[in-house]
Amino acid sequence: MTISKRPLVILTSVLVLLLIPFVAMQFSYEVNWSPFDFLVAGGLLLALGLSIDFAAHKAKSFNKKLIAIAAVVILFLLIWAELAVGIFGSPIAGN
């Protein structure tokens, strides 16, 4: 039985991306993330990576793969923007 390395690559990529704000916090007071911020960002990035992987392997044609991946990325960007600055004014944006 062969075990796929894709989930491990996705998880490693998420951790590397989360190192960027963590390192920035060590050098600047302008970056001020709480542990909850890291948890939410990690969850979103992990969901993005796993969703893209799922869409890329389940869609049969190239066009369907492209549409599915684009939809996942757009949804991710909309949620990220809402959490960051509250562009829609929903309750999940916070204060």
Side-chain angles (χ1 to χ4, degrees), residues 55-92:
H57 286 84
K58 290 297 178 182
K60 304 232 185 285
S61 71
F62 177 76
N63 287 339
K64 288 183 181 179
K65 286 181 185 187
L66 192 61
I67 290 169
I69 291 171
V72 167
V73 170
I74 289 169
L75 180 64
F76 165 78
L77 290 173
L78 288 172
I79 292 171
W80 191 279
E82 177 62 20
L83 289 172
V85 294
I87 60 174
F88 302 116
S90 72
I92 66 167

Side-chain angles (χ1 to χ4, degrees), residues 9-95:
V9 169
I10 293 169
L11 184 60
T12 304
S13 301
V14 168
L15 292 175
V16 167
L17 286 172
L18 289 175
L19 276 175
I20 296 169
F22 181 76
V23 170
M25 285 175 52
Q26 309 310 310
F27 297 104
S28 171
Y29 291 110
E30 294 177 5
V31 181
N32 187 17
W33 282 29
S34 70
F36 183 72
D37 293 329
F38 282 98
L39 184 68
V40 170
L44 279 174
L45 289 170
L46 188 61
L48 173 69
L50 293 175
S51 297
I52 288 174
D53 182 53
F54 180 78
H57 286 84
K58 290 297 178 182
K60 304 232 185 285
S61 71
F62 177 76
N63 287 339
K64 288 183 181 179
K65 286 181 185 187
L66 192 61
I67 290 169
I69 291 171
V72 167
V73 170
I74 289 169
L75 180 64
F76 165 78
L77 290 173
L78 288 172
I79 292 171
W80 191 279
E82 177 62 20
L83 289 172
V85 294
I87 60 174
F88 302 116
S90 72
I92 66 167
N95 306 15

